[in-house]
C-alpha cells in the first residue's frame, strides 16, 4: 500500500534558488517507514508512520523558524504607526477590551509574521504577555480546552460547561474562534484602510520615532482628541481638510 505524503513533512520555507516543487523533499521521510508498498501494511503501522511523519514535520518547522528568525530584524515603528494601531477598534485591547497599550503581531514575528501594519492589532500588555508567540487561534483553543474542566474530565464528559465531552467542547471552541476571527478581521481592515493610514501619516509623521522625551503614551494622550475628531469626520483627505486649515490661519474668506 502506498500513501501520498501529507503536507506536514515538507519544509516550512524555500531558500533562494531551491526548487519550489516539494517532490524532491519527499524521497526519504519517516512516512515510508513501517509501510509496505505491496499492500501488506496494516492500520497500526500506518498510524505509527503518520505520527513519525508529523514529528518530523514539526522538527523541520522549528528548524525553519530558527533560520528565519536569524535572518530577520524587527523594525522601529514611527509615532504615527503606533497611533494608527492603538486607536483602532475604539482603542481597546481586542482580547479583553481594556485600554490598548501596545501592538500585537497577530501572526508572531518568530513564525514568519509580517512586521507591518497589516499584521498589527491593539492589545494590552497582560494579554500580550499571555499570548506570547502564538497566533490567536492557537492561543484561544489552548486556553479554552485547558481551562474548562471541573476535576472529573475525561474524553467523553466532565467539562465544566454542561458536562460536555472533549469533542463537544472542541466544536464549541471552534465556533467561538470563528466569531473572534470576524472581530479581528474587522479591526485589521480598519488598520489597513488606505485613507485612514494616509490621514495618520499626514498628521503625525513629523513627530518621528518614539523617544524618552516624547514616547507613545504621551503622544497618545496629546493627540487623543484630534484622533477622535478625525474619526468622526471619516479621516478626511488633505483636500477636504484644506478649507478648515486656511480658515484657522485666517487665509481666504
Amino acid at each position: 500500500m502506498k500513501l501520498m505524503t501529507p503536507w506536514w513533512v515538507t519544509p516550512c520555507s524555500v531558500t533562494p534558488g531551491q526548487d519550489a516543487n516539494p517532490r524532491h523533499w519527499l524521497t526519504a521521510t519517516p512516512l515510508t517507514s513501517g509501510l509496505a508498498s505491496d499492500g501488506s501494511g496494516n492500520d497500526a503501522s500506518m498510524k505509527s508512520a503518520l505520527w513519525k511523519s508529523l514529528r518530523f514535520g514539526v522538527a523541520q518547522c522549528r528548524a525553519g523558524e530558527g533560520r528565519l528568525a536569524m535572518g530577520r530584524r524587527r523594525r522601529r515603528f514611527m509615532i504615527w504607526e503606533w497611533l494608527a494601531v492603538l486607536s483602532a477598534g475604539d482603542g481597546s485591547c481586542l482580547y479583553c477590551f481594556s485600554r490598548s497599550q501596545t501592538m500585537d503581531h497577530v501572526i508572531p514575528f518568530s513564525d514568519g509574521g509580517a512586521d507591518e501594519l497589516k499584521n498589527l492589532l491593539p492589545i494590552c500588555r497582560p494579554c500580550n504577555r499571555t499570548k506570547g508567540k502564538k497566533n490567536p487561534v492557537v492561543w484561544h483553543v489552548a486556553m479554552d480546552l485547558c481551562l474548562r474542566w471541573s476535576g472529573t474530565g475525561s474524553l467523553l464528559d466532565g467539562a465544566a460547561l454542561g458536562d460536555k465531552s472533549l469533542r463537544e467542547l472542541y466544536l464549541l471552541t471552534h465556533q467561538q474562534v470563528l466569531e473572534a476571527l470576524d472581530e479581528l478581521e474587522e479591526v485589521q481592515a480598519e488598520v489597513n484602510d488606505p485613507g485612514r493610514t494616509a490621514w495618520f501619516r499626514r498628521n503625525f509623521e513629523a513627530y518621528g520615532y518614539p523617544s524618552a522625551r516624547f514616547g507613545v503614551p504621551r503622544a497618545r494622550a496629546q493627540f487623543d482628541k484630534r484622533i477622535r475628531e478625525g474619526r468622526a469626520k471619516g479621516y478626511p483627505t488633505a483636500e477636504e481638510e484644506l478649507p478648515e486649515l486656511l480658515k484657522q490661519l485666517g487665509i481666504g474668506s
Side-chain angles (χ1 to χ4, degrees):
M1 180 177 181
K2 192 171 183 180
L3 295 180
M4 181 178 294
T5 306
W7 61 267
W8 54 69
V9 304
T10 60
C12 296
S13 60
V14 180
T15 57
Q18 187 180 29
D19 184 5
N21 189 331
R23 291 183 179 179
H24 73 277
W25 298 330
L26 309 180
T27 54
T29 69
L31 180 65
T32 57
S33 60
L35 293 180
S37 59
D38 59 359
S40 60
N42 55 46
D43 289 344
S45 64
M46 288 169 59
K47 289 181 180 179
S48 175
L50 287 172
W51 276 111
K52 290 178 182 178
S53 176
L54 178 58
R55 290 195 295 269
F56 175 79
V58 170
Q60 289 286 88
C61 286
R62 288 176 176 170
E65 288 172 9
R67 290 192 297 271
L68 182 62
M70 289 175 61
R72 302 175 72 204
R73 294 184 61 183
R74 295 276 293 272
R75 73 178 183 89
R76 290 182 66 195
F77 290 94
M78 300 185 72
I79 283 178
W80 76 265
E81 294 173 299
W82 278 94
L83 295 176
V85 173
L86 294 183
S87 62
D90 293 325
S92 300
C93 171
L94 289 177
Y95 304 108
C96 71
F97 306 110
S98 62
R99 183 173 172 81
S100 62
Q101 298 168 307
T102 189
M103 300 190 296
D104 172 47
H105 285 76
V106 182
I107 306 303
F109 180 80
S110 59
D111 286 349
D115 203 19
E116 305 171 25
L117 293 185
K118 69 176 184 178
N119 189 41
L120 296 171
L121 287 176
I123 191 173
C124 68
R125 288 194 178 89
C127 284
N128 196 37
R129 286 193 296 267
T130 305
K131 178 175 178 286
K133 296 181 179 180
K134 308 179 190 73
N135 66 58
V137 173
V138 173
W139 185 40
H140 187 106
V141 171
M143 287 197 303
D144 226 30
L145 296 185
C146 290
L147 300 178
R148 286 184 180 262
W149 302 97
S150 59
T152 59
S154 70
L155 178 64
L156 302 179
D157 57 26
L161 182 63
D163 198 35
K164 295 182 183 298
S165 68
L166 181 59
R167 178 187 294 271
E168 293 171 326
L169 192 58
Y170 169 75
L171 292 175
L172 176 62
T173 301
H174 176 72
Q175 183 59 40
Q176 293 173 340
V177 167
L178 293 178
E179 293 172 0
L181 287 175
D182 287 340
E183 298 177 8
L184 296 182
E185 289 169 358
E186 182 179 346
V187 178
Q188 191 72 77
E190 180 182 352
V191 173
N192 296 346
D193 180 76
R196 183 179 183 274
T197 300
W199 185 88
F200 274 92
R201 186 166 195 163
R202 186 172 64 252
N203 282 275
F204 305 115
E205 186 175 24
Y207 294 93
Y209 293 92
S211 65
R213 296 184 61 184
F214 193 72
V216 173
R218 181 178 173 184
R220 193 175 183 188
Q222 181 172 326
F223 302 130
D224 182 65
K225 181 180 178 180
R226 189 170 170 184
I227 292 172
R228 283 189 282 109
E229 291 175 348
R231 179 171 186 159
K233 296 177 181 178
Y235 302 107
T237 64
E239 291 76 13
E240 293 170 338
E241 287 184 321
L242 183 58
E244 184 177 348
L245 178 60
L246 295 176
K247 184 178 179 181
Q248 292 174 356
L249 298 175
I251 304 175
S253 55

